[in-house]
Amino acid sequence: MRIDHRAGSRELIAPLQSLGLPVESVVLPAGDVEILGNGPGGPLLVGVEVKKLPDLIACVRNGRFAEQLRAM
């Protein structure tokens, strides 16, 4: 699992590591978390965008959320 260590997602790193999960602190081009999964055709990257409710509402209203989804 790779987690973007910039503001917004860095607070996820320590709790996930304390659970024994392998976490790599990186700068991701899009999203907050990247997980490597097994898809029907082989390896598959899954992107996760972490949002607090006020930010979710604001970015849906101003169109930023659609841009973030396209980038992932």
Side-chain angles (χ1 to χ4, degrees), residues 1 3 9-23:
M1 172 182 322
I3 298 179
S9 50
R10 76 174 129 224
E11 65 272 3
L12 301 172
I13 295 171
L16 291 170
Q17 286 176 329
S18 72
L19 293 171
L21 296 171
V23 174

Side-chain angles (χ1 to χ4, degrees), residues 46-60:
V46 177
V48 177
E49 179 70 30
V50 177
K51 294 279 182 211
K52 293 181 180 168
L53 189 55
D55 185 37
L56 175 63
I57 293 168
C59 75
V60 166

Side-chain angles (χ1 to χ4, degrees), residues 24-45:
E24 182 181 353
S25 174
V26 298
V27 173
L28 295 173
D32 294 305
V33 180
E34 182 179 270
I35 302 166
L36 182 60
N38 293 316
L44 176 71
L45 281 177

